[in-house]
């Protein structure tokens, strides 16, 4: 018998408890985005959130930015997670199932063991003098250690921030230096693609540039003999992660105001340092729990849900996967290369994650759209390499999922009750730690579309003059506040950068930076959506956003490079294509050796994900009269726009630079046309 969808259970509760009945999902959605207090109050009550003090109202005023949610309430993310520990453990469900490249099989971490380690590390942090509001940063891979460290920070009211250990010192320091951490928790190295990478040299460089760090906690993961003592100084103490999590301590999370800062995540614009986005405990909790309705996952004690979404710690999907713990769901995490090298052939093995999903008993398998495209190209047969009998949903995000990938997933994943497996593509963002567009198991899945606008997310497609569009591509906007929207940007005194990031085009209305088309389906009472990629110039490689400014710093540090420009062409379900254009010093030519050094610099300074597909030498980079690189016009040109529609040559410092890019765009369009013809 099919389990009742979570969203159906919520609708039944609304009718029984509040007398609210809706004829269609669209009716339910419209109520959720017009009566904000009633809707978000229902999420609080449906999930039985606890507070030792009452809240005065669900929402003071529906304004953006600056909405105040649940004033008077007190919460703690870690406390909500551990509410499920005893019942889930008694029913035989673990908190975490984990595997990395070095392990032959997954291991399970029990809820009581997770709670014990979190309590022990929280006690150690208090012993270091960590108090509410202190920043604790981490340089950790996607392992249970990162989960423990985050929950320990949340317990004591510290503010968490993490970077993946595949990120180089430039990217790490661009982030952590902004928030001046008091404690750094770091790994000695990482195994990725079968290769062990010693990250201690990077750690030394990072520590040298972070004088605020008073305590280092070292996780000896790759080298069992790695000692924290080598990082100790007169002003910095060093500790061993394993030793700090070995003891016993009582689990005593602090009650914190609803909007107490939980973490700092980063989403980069096209200029300057990454935006250091601060989210609060309460808002993130509500968004994550509501997200469980759309992903149809809930307490493992009820249906045995095991939730996996492949991610590194540097992607907001890592945070999203943690959010499943808030609802009592077992999370299944894998650390390593999703296309790991095959032990016998030595070539990329895109069946790696599918084998993990089978061994871990995943009921929900999520990954970036690029992963599924790679599986399709590699001819992976998931059901031939793994027992996927428990799998009942596949999720995708990070970029638009192509029609071919929809079909591949349905053809190559198990049928559920005789039907195609439920495909749940979602689209949201780091900026508000949630989803705008997601799934609904009650509704049909239409190839090429996402099923619905999320509850509580007043998403519309707008024209440039602020008209709401149906059936046409427009800017993705959100016209009403959500609890998980940023509290503020760190260091953004007065909030100018926050306002400029989301409210520059439409004051008081959140502009997300994606192109979207709302598709009406009157026959089902729902409106689907199609995302067409970024409408700004931010790089979005395999779901991980990185500002162009960060890449320029790595590229233009090379003595041969005078100027550079990069664009990420990720649209209409096609694979991401990111060309880099460079201006070299007089007399120099882009040869294989220089191109290799540029790629290595990007990989070392940022990550392997952000290495461009191709590099081209050009005479000049198009710039405005004020000297700004014209990234978005170049991107639109390469997407098919006519040069005269995107470049105002009278407002350019070097109008002649457009000609080369126009010829390049025309040549590329011709190649695409010839490829399409056959």
């Amino acid at each position: 018998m099919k389990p009742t969808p979570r969203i159906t259970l919520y609708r039944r509760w609304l009718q029984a408890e509040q007398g609210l009945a809706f004829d269609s999902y669209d009716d339910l959605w419209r109520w959720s985005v017009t009566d904000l207090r009633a809707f978000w109050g229902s999420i609080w009550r449906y999930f039985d959130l606890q507070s030792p003090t009452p809240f005065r109202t669900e929402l003071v005023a529906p304004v953006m930015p600056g909405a105040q949610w649940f004033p008077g309430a007190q919460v703690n993310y870690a406390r909500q997670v551990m509410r499920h520990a005893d019942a889930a453990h008694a029913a035989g469900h673990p908190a975490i199932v984990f595997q990395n490249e070095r392990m032959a099989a997954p291991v399970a971490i029990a809820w009581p063991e997770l709670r014990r380690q979190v309590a022990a590390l929280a006690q150690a942090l208090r012993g270091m003098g960590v108090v509410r509001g202190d920043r604790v940063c981490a340089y950790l891979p996607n392992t249970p250690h990162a989960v423990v460290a985050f929950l320990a920070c949340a317990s004591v009211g510290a503010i968490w921030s993490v970077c993946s250990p595949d990120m180089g010192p430039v990217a790490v320091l661009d982030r952590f230096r902004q928030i001046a951490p008091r404690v750094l928790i770091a790994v000695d190295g990482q195994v990725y693609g079968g290769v062990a990478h010693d990250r201690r040299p990077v750690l030394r460089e990072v520590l040298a540039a972070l004088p605020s760090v008073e305590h280092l906690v070292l996780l000896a993961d790759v080298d069992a003999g790695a000692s924290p003592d080598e990082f100790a100084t007169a002003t910095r103490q060093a500790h061993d992660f394993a030793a700090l999590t070995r003891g016993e301590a009582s689990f005593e999370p602090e009650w914190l105001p609803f909007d107490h800062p939980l973490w700092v995540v980063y989403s980069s614009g096209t200029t300057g340092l990454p935006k250091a986005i601060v989210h609060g405990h309460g808002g993130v909790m509500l968004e994550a729990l509501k997200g469980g309705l759309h992903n149809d996952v809930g307490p493992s004690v009820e249906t045995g849900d095991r939730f996996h979404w492949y991610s590194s710690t540097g992607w907001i999907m890592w945070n999203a996967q943690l959010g499943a713990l808030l609802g009592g769901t077992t999370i299944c995490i894998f650390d390593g290369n999703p296309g790991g090298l095959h032990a016998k052939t030595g070539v990329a093995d895109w069946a790696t994650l599918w084998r993990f999903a089978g061994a871990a008993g995943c009921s929900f398998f999520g990954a970036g759209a690029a992963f599924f495209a790679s599986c399709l190209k590699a001819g992976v047969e998931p059901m031939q390499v793994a027992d996927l009998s428990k799998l009942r949903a596949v999720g995708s995000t990070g970029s638009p999922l192509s029609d071919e990938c929809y079909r591949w997933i349905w053809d190559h994943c198990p049928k559920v009750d005789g039907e195609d497996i439920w495909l749940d593509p979602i689209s949201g963002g780091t900026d508000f730690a949630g989803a705008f567009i997601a799934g609904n198991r009650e509704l049909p899945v239409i190839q090429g579309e996402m099923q619905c606008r999320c509850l509580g997310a007043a998403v519309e497609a707008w024209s440039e003059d602020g008209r709401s569009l149906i059936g046409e591509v427009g800017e993705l906007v959100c016209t009403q506040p959500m609890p998980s929207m940023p509290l503020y940007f760190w260091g953004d005194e007065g909030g100018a950068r926050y306002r400029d990031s989301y409210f520059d085009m439409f004051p008081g209305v959140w502009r997300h930076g994606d192109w979207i088309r709302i598709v009406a389906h009157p026959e089902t009472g729902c409106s689907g959506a199609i995302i067409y990629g970024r409408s700004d110039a931010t790089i979005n490689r395999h779901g991980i956003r990185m500002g162009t400014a960060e890449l320029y710093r790595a590229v233009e540090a090379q003595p041969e490079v005078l100027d550079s420009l990069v664009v990420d062409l990720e649209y209409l379900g096609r694979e991401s294509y990111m060309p880099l254009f460079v201006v070299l010093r007089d007399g120099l030519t882009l040869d294989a050796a220089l191109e290799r050094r540029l790629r290595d610099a990007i990989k070392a300074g940022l990550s392997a994900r952000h290495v461009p597909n191709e590099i081209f030498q050009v005479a000049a980079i198009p710039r405005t009269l004020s000297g700004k690189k014209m990234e978005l016009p170049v991107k639109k040109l390469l997407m098919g726009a006519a040069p005269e529609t995107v470049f105002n040559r009278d407002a350019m410092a070097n109008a002649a630079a457009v000609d080369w890019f126009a010829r390049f765009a025309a040549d590329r369009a011709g190649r695409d046309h010839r490829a399409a013809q056959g």
Side-chain angles (χ1 to χ4, degrees), residues 4 50 98 102 112 155 157 176 188 234 239 273 316 329 340 352 358 380 397 448 510 529 552 610 626 629 635:
T4 305
Q50 303 294 308
F98 168 67
R102 292 166 283 166
S155 294
F176 290 171
D188 65 321
H239 315 266
L273 292 172
I316 195 64
T329 304
T352 299
V380 174
T397 194
W510 178 289
Y552 296 146
H610 298 92
S626 61
K629 300 182 186 188
K635 179 174 181 176

Side-chain angles (χ1 to χ4, degrees), residues 332-653:
C332 303
I333 58 180
F334 181 88
D335 181 52
N337 187 348
L341 299 182
H342 193 282
K344 294 182 179 179
T345 65
V347 300
D349 180 9
W350 290 99
T352 299
L353 277 188
W354 296 107
R355 284 193 294 270
F356 167 70
C362 296
S363 59
F364 189 109
F365 178 94
F371 169 79
F372 297 108
S374 296
C375 290
L376 184 157
K377 290 182 177 180
V380 174
E381 296 290 346
M383 291 186 290
Q384 294 182 17
V385 301
D387 175 6
L388 300 177
S389 57
K390 294 183 179 179
L391 188 64
R392 60 188 187 91
V394 172
S396 173
T397 194
S399 58
L401 189 68
S402 69
D403 288 0
E404 293 82 2
C405 284
Y406 275 76
R407 191 72 262 159
W408 182 86
I409 291 168
W410 284 327
D411 289 344
H412 292 81
C413 288
K415 303 298 180 184
V416 179
D417 298 318
E419 300 176 356
D420 287 339
I421 199 165
W422 181 48
L423 183 49
D424 178 27
I426 69 172
S427 181
T430 299
D431 309 77
F432 67 105
F436 279 143
I437 312 294
N440 182 339
R441 196 182 276 275
E442 296 177 326
L443 300 171
V445 180
I446 298 174
Q447 183 171 302
E449 289 186 21
M450 299 178 186
Q451 287 180 284
C452 64
R453 290 174 278 189
C454 290
L455 295 174
V459 170
E460 297 182 11
W462 274 21
S463 63
E464 290 187 3
D465 58 359
R467 291 180 296 109
S468 183
L469 306 172
I470 298 292
E472 299 180 50
V473 177
E475 289 277 356
L476 191 164
V477 301
C478 187
T479 62
Q480 296 288 351
M482 297 170 64
S484 63
M485 285 177 172
L487 301 175
Y488 50 86
F489 291 174
W490 196 272
D492 181 26
E493 298 298 331
R497 194 180 187 198
Y498 184 8
R499 292 190 297 274
D500 290 345
S501 295
Y502 311 113
F503 307 103
D504 60 336
M505 182 176 289
F506 308 113
V509 172
W510 178 289
R511 183 182 71 92
H512 194 56
D514 280 340
W515 280 298
I516 186 174
R517 179 160 63 95
I518 305 298
V519 185
H521 296 292
E523 69 281 5
T524 63
C526 183
S527 299
I530 302 173
I531 296 289
Y532 291 94
R534 299 298 300 168
S535 64
D536 58 22
T538 302
I539 300 169
N540 189 357
R541 295 284 272 181
H542 310 303
I544 300 178
R545 297 179 65 189
M546 184 76 73
T548 54
E550 299 177 81
L551 188 143
Y552 296 146
R553 276 195 288 274
V555 170
E556 293 171 16
Q558 308 307 307
E560 297 89 345
V561 179
L562 293 176
D563 202 0
S564 61
L565 183 142
V566 67
V567 293
D568 182 13
L569 305 183
E570 182 182 28
Y571 66 108
L572 299 176
R574 302 182 186 179
E575 284 189 280
S576 172
Y577 172 69
M578 189 173 82
L580 170 67
F581 306 97
V582 295
V583 178
L584 303 182
R585 295 185 182 279
D586 288 343
L588 298 182
T589 301
L590 181 65
D591 57 17
L594 177 55
E595 183 169 338
R596 185 166 54 251
R597 282 203 294 112
L598 291 174
R599 292 178 181 276
D600 289 343
I602 295 167
K603 183 177 179 180
L606 303 178
S607 83
R609 297 179 181 87
H610 298 92
V611 174
N613 295 89
E614 295 185 275
I615 304 177
F616 301 94
Q617 182 176 356
V618 297
I621 299 299
R623 288 182 176 270
T624 65
L625 289 174
S626 61
K628 293 182 179 179
K629 300 182 186 188
M630 302 184 72
E631 296 160 312
L632 191 53
V634 170
K635 179 174 181 176
K636 290 181 177 180
L637 179 70
L638 298 185
M639 290 175 68
E644 62 273 13
T645 66
V646 292
F647 289 97
N648 179 358
R649 293 177 183 250
D650 292 335
M652 292 183 61

